[in-house]
Amino acid sequence: MRAHISWILLAAPFLVHAAEPLKLQRTPLPNPPWPAGDERGMANQIGAATWNRCAWHLTLPGVQAYELSQIRSNTMPLSPFAGPYVVKPKATAGIPLTAHAFNSETINEGAEHGQQGTQFDALGHFAAFRQPWDGKPPFPAEQAVYYGGFTQQEVKPTAESPLLRLGMDKVPPIVTSAVLLDAKALVGKGQPMKAGETVTAKHIEEMLKAQGLAFRGILPGDVVYIHTGWGEHWRDPDTEKVYYAKAPGLAYDAARYLADKRIVAIGLDAPFVDAVPEGFLQGKGAPAEGTPPALPFAVHHHMLTQAGVHHVENAKLDEMARDRVWLSCTMILPLRERGAAGSAIRPIAIGAATQAVKR
């Protein structure tokens, strides 16, 4: 018994240095409910407390910066819900009677650049109906209800209107602590998770324990990244057309669990955040097990329309998982495009590998 206690005392410094000091972990953050008319959701928690948690990770020995975005190109995997993505370089041009030359690019109509590659969903990206649509035209858009109870008239009054509320221009700079959970290791047992497979609330608690994070847990204001291994199917050029055809994702109970933890954003190395089984997108299969009726994208529904939690899709998490960087400072800066429902992003995480923080 004495030897066991000695081992625990010896290991204690390792655990202390693996996470932020308790003073930083327990610094109060703003609490919901948010003021009437709120358009930020859980991002209301971003501020001095999350910045200080973030800054602590920058001081660790062996700290590194990790790119969490895939490189964008015309041949990358493309969303089946958008048109072709074609960025066309323009010829080098000049201005008469000046010593200037300049370069630029154009993008094709229908490309939906904010929903391609590593991207970020605004809260206005999704809405909900009180009753399922029966599929008969016309689509009853005027009955849609958004996060905070905003109506379609308040958010997008006409087909041509940008989002008047809940758009990308309402998202603050997200600078906070991040937790990386390795579902490839736990759920996939070292292999990429399969299409349609889900990360459940139980899995999250098991990953926290396995990664030595059970005491810290998930704090209000955190960003949570989940490494499923599906990012290994990202190919450029996308000759196999596998990446966007199906994918693993978050279970509905996990979405509710994380929302209750008051996270600011959830990010996966997969295209949908929701799990997409084989054949589901083609209308030849059912949604993931545990999905509520009439909510095939239940994670989008709960996170965006109910809880006010933003999404990061197509994150690149393999290098952080390889180095066991379970905790980090993450910075996510979406483009401030007025009324946009999504944005291309270049998120980063700055943290130290697990072995580097042991002292």
Side-chain angles (χ1 to χ4, degrees), residues 86-323:
V86 182
V87 176
K88 184 177 180 180
K90 296 177 68 176
T92 301
I95 303 172
L97 305 179
T98 75
H100 301 307
F102 60 89
N103 295 295
S104 188
E105 301 84 28
T106 61
I107 192 167
N108 63 296
E109 184 177 356
E112 294 191 30
H113 60 285
Q115 297 294 332
Q116 300 282 20
T118 304
Q119 53 99 188
F120 187 92
D121 284 342
L123 297 183
H125 177 52
F126 247 58
F129 290 108
R130 291 186 171 87
Q131 298 293 330
W133 173 42
D134 61 11
K136 298 177 181 178
F139 177 63
E142 70 282 355
Q143 298 175 22
V145 180
Y146 292 79
Y147 168 78
F150 289 114
T151 65
Q152 182 75 7
Q153 184 64 29
E154 292 171 309
V155 176
K156 189 175 170 65
T158 68
E160 296 77 23
S161 170
L163 300 182
L164 303 185
R165 293 183 180 270
L166 306 174
M168 293 308 311
D169 49 307
K170 305 300 172 59
V171 181
I174 294 178
V175 179
T176 186
S177 46
V179 177
L180 172 66
L181 299 176
D182 194 356
K184 175 185 173 183
L186 187 131
V187 184
K189 297 179 170 54
Q191 298 298 317
M193 289 178 62
K194 298 179 177 64
E197 233 179 341
T198 58
V199 176
T200 66
K202 182 181 179 183
H203 289 146
I204 291 173
E205 293 187 338
E206 289 173 347
M207 286 184 283
L208 288 169
K209 183 177 180 181
Q211 295 173 207
L213 300 174
F215 179 77
R216 180 197 186 274
I218 295 169
L219 301 178
D222 277 344
V223 167
V224 173
Y225 293 115
I226 298 182
H227 175 237
T228 69
W230 193 256
E232 295 177 25
H233 296 293
W234 180 279
R235 300 283 188 274
D236 192 352
D238 184 26
T239 55
E240 298 172 10
K241 306 297 181 186
V242 168
Y243 181 81
Y244 262 108
K246 52 193 176 181
L250 205 62
Y252 180 58
D253 77 324
R256 296 174 65 91
Y257 174 93
L258 291 172
D260 287 345
K261 295 291 184 182
R262 290 171 38 201
I263 68 170
V264 172
I266 175 70
L268 271 69
D269 57 339
F272 307 109
V273 178
D274 288 88
V276 172
E278 180 93 42
F280 170 63
L281 292 182
Q282 297 77 26
K284 299 177 182 177
E289 186 177 349
T291 301
L295 293 174
F297 289 94
V299 177
H300 273 69
H301 166 81
H302 189 73
M303 293 295 206
L304 296 177
T305 74
Q306 307 300 304
V309 176
H310 291 90
H311 290 175
V312 175
E313 296 172 338
N314 306 315
K316 188 179 185 301
L317 304 174
D318 57 326
E319 293 175 333
M320 276 215 303
R322 177 200 64 201
D323 292 349

Side-chain angles (χ1 to χ4, degrees), residues 3-65:
H4 183 64
I5 293 173
S6 299
W7 181 86
I8 292 174
L9 291 174
L10 214 74
F14 298 167
L15 297 175
V16 168
H17 292 295
E20 308 91 343
L22 288 177
K23 181 180 178 180
L24 293 180
Q25 292 185 35
R26 294 175 179 173
T27 302
L29 274 68
N31 288 310
W34 313 120
D38 171 59
E39 298 184 60
R40 288 191 171 196
M42 290 300 181
N44 280 294
Q45 299 172 103
I46 297 295
T50 66
W51 298 336
N52 286 332
R53 283 205 314 244
C54 207
W56 182 84
H57 291 281
L58 308 184
T59 68
L60 295 177
V63 69
Q64 294 186 59

